[in-house]
Amino acid sequence: KVAHIFTFENKGPGNLVIESASTSCGCTVSKYDRSPIPAGKGGNLEVVFDSNGRNGIQTKTVSVRSNSKTEVVILKITAEVVSQNM
């Protein structure tokens, strides 16, 4: 399993609320704080990719829906899975 944490800042005038973070594959999960993020404050969204049973270049997306002016933001992670010969 490989994880990446995306950090962000609420640059809007009001609270930012992440409504959902949908992944493109069951091998990828997202974790984020569901509490409103006040203006000027930041937050994190963690994406965890389970490479079990996969090989080669893997690109996964997370569609983040919020109450922001840009309602949907697409996050992308790319990994190269290399099997180890024993």
Side-chain angles (χ1 to χ4, degrees), residues 53-74:
R54 309 219 179 255
N55 199 20
I57 300 291
Q58 304 289 314
T59 300
K60 306 300 174 192
T61 60
V62 180
S63 300
V64 181
R65 186 173 300 276
S66 73
N67 66 335
S68 126
K69 193 180 285 187
T70 305
E71 293 178 7
V72 178
V73 173
I74 306 295

Side-chain angles (χ1 to χ4, degrees), residues 5-84:
I5 297 175
F6 290 90
T7 60
F8 58 89
E9 180 183 349
N10 178 3
K11 294 186 178 183
N15 286 339
L16 173 67
V17 177
I18 297 176
E19 297 165 1
S20 66
S22 304
T23 59
S24 60
C25 170
C27 62
T28 309
V29 295
S30 61
K31 301 174 189 175
Y32 58 93
D33 188 0
R34 292 175 177 3
S35 302
I37 299 157
K41 299 295 181 185
N44 298 318
L45 187 142
E46 180 180 16
V47 177
V48 180
F49 168 62
D50 184 350
S51 65
N52 189 31
R54 309 219 179 255
N55 199 20
I57 300 291
Q58 304 289 314
T59 300
K60 306 300 174 192
T61 60
V62 180
S63 300
V64 181
R65 186 173 300 276
S66 73
N67 66 335
S68 126
K69 193 180 285 187
T70 305
E71 293 178 7
V72 178
V73 173
I74 306 295
L75 303 175
K76 181 170 73 169
I77 60 169
T78 301
E80 182 175 6
V81 180
V82 179
S83 58
Q84 295 180 348

